[in-house]
Structure formats: structure tokens, C-alpha cells
Amino acid sequence: DIDDVGHKYYLELELEDVLDKDSTVNCTAEVLYHLGNKNIAPDVQFTLEGELKNTDEADNIFYNRVKSLEKELVAENIPDSHGNVPPEMEPIHLLAWVASGYVIWQNSTENTKFQLAQIKHVKQVKRTDEYLEFDYMILLHDMVSQEIIPWQMTVLWHPQHGVQVTQDSRQPKHASG
Amino acid sequence: LQLDFWLAPRGLGHPVDIRVPFPSLQPLKAHLEANGISYSIMIEDVQTLVDDEQMEMLRGRRGLPVSTNTFDYATYHSLDEIYTFMDLLVAENPNLVSKLEIGRSTENRPLYVLKFSKGGTNRPAIWIDTGIHSREWVTQASGVWFAKKIVQDHENNEGVASILDKMDIFLEIVTNPDGFVFTQTQNRMWRKTRSRRSGSVCVGVDPNRNWDAGFGGPGASGNACSETYHGPYANSEPEVKSIVDFVKSHGNIKAFISIHSYSQLLLYPYGYTTTPVPDQKELHEISEKAVAALSSLYGTNYKYGSIITTIYQASGGTIDWTYNQGIKYSFTFELRDTGRYGFLLPAKQIVPTAQETWLALKVIMQYTLDHPY
């Protein structure tokens, strides 16, 4: 507890590569949840003790594949009801994970526990510059309230410039289902 | 001879496979033996296999399972398929398994419970339910697997033989059929029942907040549009009331296990209050053993503890009520995973999940058998 400021947490984490279970990196972090104003994202400081794997090759393959598509990429329900993700959609899925991480961070309090539940819809938006742009409609699951929250996010990505969420907004839930 | 080569001659030293018409059997055997050519019979009667396959395909075209031995446990099934599976299991094992209808859902679907019993009258019993929250698909799928497993192992000592010698097992696989159908037809993420109330456009009550234990207190919502809406009053939901009535009239249930996903947790009461249950120490020790057994199979990590200290405050929950009824060994599982796929767990994880969970369930059942009260 930090009087008049908020609650600070000191974390020791082990990061595990989702694509390679044996590849782990230790990490220490400090998270400060601000008192009062719940509209400010928590402050996060972290130190990686080691290096993250280099993914340039896979990134470039994906980048070139999408750049060379004739029609804009469109997809729905990733994973599908049975948990399937078509292999060619896996990078789209991973990109959504990263981008939703940003959205989750910006909207987290000590009383939320968000996970990306599903990509309902994703559409590529063609750009004249070198970036790839995707318009996602995702579902976030908040473990604490058990709510499924639709969220729109616009994601920019480039292999060398990384991920940016340029726009995001919470969507209204449907009443009867 | 009209010999039909299924593996054609390739050269010296390579075997051939031949389908032989009945009239040619004798002449062919005589010929092979006279020439010192050894042979073995791979299929006694091809026609039988063809007939079986035809039957399978005809029924398969209607989409319904044909036997619990050809049933695909590694995929998600519809309500009709699961209900058909139950009937098949009973038909195949009439001396062990029976199906009880304990009530009807809001949309008038039957609520079925499988009873596994080697006899006796009103023996002490273990209750297991899956699918109370309809979007938690790995649970109903695991329930189906458990049903088959009980049948497969009912005579063997590493299985449930000694448990079934003294106790009955009740298994409700689709505890919320209305919700389940809704997840398949309209909204994969539906959690609650499908009851409607005048005064709200929103549908459904959280069946795990509708029990009479701290009902309506903190840890549930009074808003009908919320995923944790407790309902207008305790047991308002027929899916809940039917279990309450069953438990009360049975009167001899000694362990009660309600299965959810996801988070990989084993939980015991209470959820509605921080006051520990009197049997906290014992339940904690059982949980430790059960989780160790679960992890031993594939290394899956589980945490365990009381609901309120391990997951969150939740009022009106199933096992808080069952514990307060005197069912000491009341537990809730949250199965795989921890969020990577969440509710959308890939079908190929169904069987491993069911297998590891079964080891934990056996620990609890064995403990219950060894500690009568």
C-alpha cells in the first residue's frame, strides 16, 4: 500500500514461449494500480533477464504473404467453437494476443482478470505505406465478473516496427445472447 | 478361383494379401499346403465387416452414435448425440447403468442423470455433474468420457470396482441443456440458463449463484443482464431445483463434485464467506492428494483451496449448499486451460483432460469410501 497513491505489486515472473514450451525467460516487474481514478491504466515497469527469441524469419514470411494477397484478408471465429485455428491464421491469432494485451493493460484494475476469448472477426485494411493494418472485433473474458466483452481494435504491424493499437473501443453486449 | 489380391505380388520374399471367395477356400488352402507356402487368416469373414460398416454408415449419416465403442470421445458432440450416447451406454450395460430423469429445464428438455450401481438399496453415493455452465464444453465432453470409463473399469481394482462394491455413482453430464443448445446454435459464450422473466429483456440465471447458500449476498449480481445473475430467488431455476430435490430425497450422498472450466483449480467451500469450513484441514489434504494424482499424468498444474481464497467471492454456489446439507466432501473443479484457449479448448485436449481429472476424482471417491460418516 502506498498512501494516497495506490497499491504497488512486485512480481517475479517466468515467461514461457507459447510456441516452444522449453523456452523460458525470467522477468521482474512492478505494477502500480492508482488509487481513485480507475480510468488510468496501471503503471508497469519490467526487466527481462535474458533475451526473447528472434522471430524475424517467421515475421517476414507472414508479412510478405499478407502483402501479396490480392484481396484483403478476412476471417471469423478464431479459434472456432471447437478450439481450432487454421494454421495460416495462427499469426493473425498471435497478433491479436499481443494487441489485446495492450487493451487489457489499459483497462485493468485490481478487480479485473481479462483473457482474450476469441477473435469474432478480423479484416485487413489495405494501406499505401509499409504497415499492415487489421480491424479486429475480439471478445475479452473477464474472469472476475465472468462477462464476455466485445471490443473493437485497430492494429498496425510491421516486422521491424512492432505492434501498435491505434484505436480501440468497448462494444455494447447483446441483451438476450 | 476368382482370387482378389489386396496386396499384389511384388517379387520373391514379399507377402501377398488375398480375398478368397468361399468356394475357392479349400482348393487354395490345398494348393498352398502342397507347395509349402505358409499363410495366416487376417479376416475370417469380410462380409461381416462390410455389413457392419454399412449399418454404421447408415446410422452415421443421421449423425447419431451407434455404440459407445465407436463413439468419438475426442470431439465435441451435440445434445442429441450425448443423449443417444447415454441410452447406448445403458443398453450395453443394463446391470450397471440406468438413466434417471430428475426434472425438466426451462425449455422443457429432460434433465438426465446416469446411475452406476452394483446393487443394494440407497447405497451411499457420489454425485458428479458437468456442464452446469454451458460454454464450458470440455466439462460435458469429459462427463461423457467418465461415463464410459466407469463402465470400462467397474470390475478392475485400479478402477472403481471397490468403490462400486459399496457405493453408487450419479453422473449428470448435461446439467444445463438449454444453455448447451444455445452455445451450439446462437452464442458459443453462453453461460447461464435460458429462463426469462417479465421485467427484463435479458435472459438467464447463473446456475452457480442460484443455490440457497448465502443467496443474494456479495459475489453474485442482482442484475438480470449479468453473467452472475443469481435469479429472483434461490432454486428459481429448474436445473438447480431438480438437483436439490434429488439430493434431499436421496439423503445418502457422501461426496458431491461439480465440474467447471477453465482455470485449473480444485476448490472446496466456502465461496460466500471467508469463514473457513469446519472440515477445512481435511478438505485441503484431500485436495492436495487429488491434485498430485492429476498432475502425475501430463504435468498439468493445478492450484487448490477454498473458493473465496482461491478464485473469488461467489454466493449461492452449488458446493456451499451441498456442504451445508452435510455432504462433507464437496468439491468444484475448474478444468483446462488457464486462458490460452479458455472455453474454446481444442478437442484434442478433451481426452487428456478427462484422463487426468479422472485420477483426481478417484482420489476423492476412494477417500470418501475409506472415510464413511
Side-chain angles (χ1 to χ4, degrees):
Chain A
D1 275 359
I2 303 180
D3 283 346
D4 299 334
V5 178
H7 298 141
K8 197 174 215 189
Y9 295 84
Y10 296 86
L11 303 170
E12 285 174 21
L13 307 171
E14 191 185 40
L15 306 182
E16 181 187 88
D17 187 337
V18 151
L19 301 176
D20 176 9
K21 301 277 165 191
D22 294 327
S23 173
T24 63
V25 175
N26 287 332
C27 174
T28 55
E30 285 176 17
V31 178
L32 173 64
Y33 289 100
H34 295 277
L35 212 60
N37 192 345
K38 298 297 175 199
N39 291 325
I40 308 179
D43 288 345
V44 178
Q45 310 279 340
F46 71 94
T47 311
L48 278 180
E49 284 151 30
E51 275 176 19
L52 297 177
K53 213 160 61 159
N54 182 297
T55 58
D56 287 351
E57 197 185 327
D59 288 349
N60 286 321
I61 291 173
F62 172 58
Y63 179 78
N64 289 322
R65 176 162 70 84
V66 176
K67 269 288 182 189
S68 61
L69 289 173
E70 279 186 15
K71 284 191 62 184
E72 287 89 348
L73 186 153
V74 174
E76 292 189 326
N77 291 334
I78 298 169
D80 67 15
S81 285
H82 295 223
N84 296 321
V85 177
E88 68 275 11
M89 285 300 153
E90 189 57 32
I92 295 284
H93 185 212
L94 294 170
L95 182 62
W97 264 100
V98 176
S100 66
Y102 171 80
V103 171
I104 288 170
W105 166 38
Q106 293 296 302
N107 291 277
S108 286
T109 69
E110 283 166 287
N111 295 310
T112 60
K113 188 174 174 189
F114 289 112
Q115 294 279 7
L116 174 65
Q118 192 182 37
I119 300 167
K120 280 309 284 179
H121 188 81
V122 57
K123 198 184 71 185
Q124 182 192 358
V125 178
K126 283 251 170 157
R127 291 175 70 94
T128 50
D129 64 17
E130 51 176 354
Y131 283 87
L132 295 183
E133 181 177 333
F134 298 95
D135 186 9
Y136 281 94
M137 183 64 73
I138 59 173
L139 297 178
L140 293 180
H141 171 230
D142 172 24
M143 186 64 76
V144 178
S145 66
Q146 289 295 339
E147 296 295 333
I148 301 284
I149 307 163
W151 212 289
Q152 180 273 334
M153 56 182 194
T154 304
V155 181
L156 250 47
W157 178 68
H158 183 277
Q160 273 81 57
H161 306 314
V163 180
Q164 268 180 76
V165 175
T166 55
Q167 192 208 321
D168 72 273
S169 69
R170 186 177 180 135
Q171 303 294 301
K173 199 172 86 155
H174 268 293
S176 63
Chain B
L1 284 178
Q2 306 249 306
L3 299 182
D4 174 14
F5 284 82
W6 284 9
L7 190 63
R10 277 196 292 157
L12 287 176
H14 293 274
V16 294
D17 295 345
I18 316 172
R19 179 186 62 80
V20 185
F22 189 70
S24 305
L25 254 186
Q26 274 310 106
L28 180 63
K29 279 187 182 179
H31 176 82
L32 294 173
E33 277 154 29
N35 286 277
I37 300 173
S38 63
Y39 65 88
S40 61
I41 299 169
M42 296 166 81
I43 302 172
E44 286 273 349
D45 183 353
V46 174
Q47 190 61 51
T48 318
L49 287 186
V50 170
D51 291 344
D52 284 350
E53 190 185 49
Q54 274 286 50
M55 195 173 65
E56 175 102 30
M57 283 177 59
L58 278 173
R59 288 206 231 176
R61 220 170 282 141
R62 275 197 350 245
L64 294 175
V66 175
S67 99
T68 68
N69 291 321
T70 55
F71 188 87
D72 188 352
Y73 295 92
T75 186
Y76 292 109
H77 289 277
S78 68
L79 187 68
D80 287 342
E81 286 165 3
I82 296 177
Y83 279 12
T84 301
F85 163 85
M86 289 181 201
D87 289 337
L88 288 172
L89 196 69
V90 170
E92 292 164 13
N93 305 278
N95 295 326
L96 179 65
V97 195
S98 54
K99 186 179 82 171
L100 313 171
E101 185 175 321
I102 61 167
R104 294 236 150 192
S105 68
T106 290
E107 291 173 349
N108 205 32
R109 293 186 173 86
L111 301 167
Y112 291 132
V113 171
L114 291 177
K115 175 182 180 185
F116 300 85
S117 179
K118 286 192 190 169
T121 311
N122 198 235
R123 283 185 171 172
I126 293 159
W127 167 283
I128 301 170
D129 65 75
T130 52
I132 193 169
H133 285 144
S134 37
R135 63 190 179 199
E136 298 167 8
W137 279 19
V138 72
T139 70
Q140 299 94 335
S142 293
V144 168
W145 188 92
F146 297 151
K148 180 61 171 172
K149 185 66 171 165
I150 295 170
V151 162
Q152 284 174 327
D153 279 9
H154 74 280
E155 304 274 70
N156 106 44
N157 284 323
E158 272 79 54
V160 286
S162 53
I163 292 164
L164 284 170
D165 284 341
K166 297 264 166 38
M167 303 182 77
D168 293 341
I169 300 175
F170 292 99
L171 175 62
E172 185 174 10
I173 298 175
V174 190
T175 305
N176 177 6
D178 296 349
F180 189 55
V181 170
F182 200 75
T183 60
Q184 304 206 321
T185 55
Q186 303 269 26
N187 180 351
R188 175 62 179 82
M189 297 293 173
W190 191 258
R191 165 185 169 89
K192 301 187 285 182
T193 62
R194 292 293 301 164
S195 58
R196 284 158 210 273
R197 244 134 230 126
S198 64
S200 179
V201 304
C202 290
V203 176
V205 166
D206 185 342
N208 199 21
R209 300 288 185 281
N210 189 241
W211 301 70
D212 197 0
F215 179 83
S221 172
N223 180 341
C225 300
S226 165
E227 294 281 29
T228 55
Y229 175 50
H230 48 58
Y233 50 89
N235 305 326
S236 62
E237 303 311 285
E239 294 82 356
V240 170
K241 178 95 178 22
S242 54
I243 302 175
V244 168
D245 291 343
F246 180 84
V247 166
K248 282 183 163 165
S249 74
H250 186 280
N252 208 17
I253 295 180
K254 295 300 177 186
F256 191 105
I257 302 150
S258 192
I259 303 188
H260 292 254
S261 77
Y262 60 91
S263 283
Q264 294 175 200
L265 304 170
L266 175 50
L267 306 166
Y268 50 81
Y270 286 124
Y272 75 95
T273 172
T274 51
T275 307
V277 290
D279 301 293
Q280 147 97 10
K281 186 163 178 297
E282 190 183 6
L283 296 182
H284 200 76
E285 283 166 5
I286 298 170
S287 302
E288 188 178 7
K289 290 203 197 79
V291 160
L294 187 154
S295 301
S296 70
L297 196 56
Y298 296 109
T300 305
N301 276 318
Y302 263 62
K303 297 201 184 65
Y304 55 96
S306 70
I307 297 168
I308 197 168
T309 59
T310 312
I311 191 170
Y312 40 50
Q313 185 174 30
S315 60
T318 309
I319 65 167
D320 285 0
W321 179 81
T322 58
Y323 183 86
N324 285 345
Q325 289 296 299
I327 302 175
K328 193 173 15 159
Y329 303 126
S330 289
F331 293 94
T332 287
F333 278 80
E334 292 278 357
L335 303 186
R336 290 194 195 182
D337 59 11
T338 54
R340 169 129 192 244
Y341 289 96
F343 301 120
L344 306 180
L345 196 71
K348 64 179 188 282
Q349 290 199 45
I350 293 171
V351 173
T353 301
Q355 288 172 326
E356 67 191 11
T357 307
W358 186 241
L359 297 182
L361 288 173
K362 278 200 291 184
V363 166
I364 295 171
M365 294 194 289
Q366 186 65 47
Y367 190 93
T368 306
L369 176 69
D370 295 338
H371 297 83
Y373 61 95

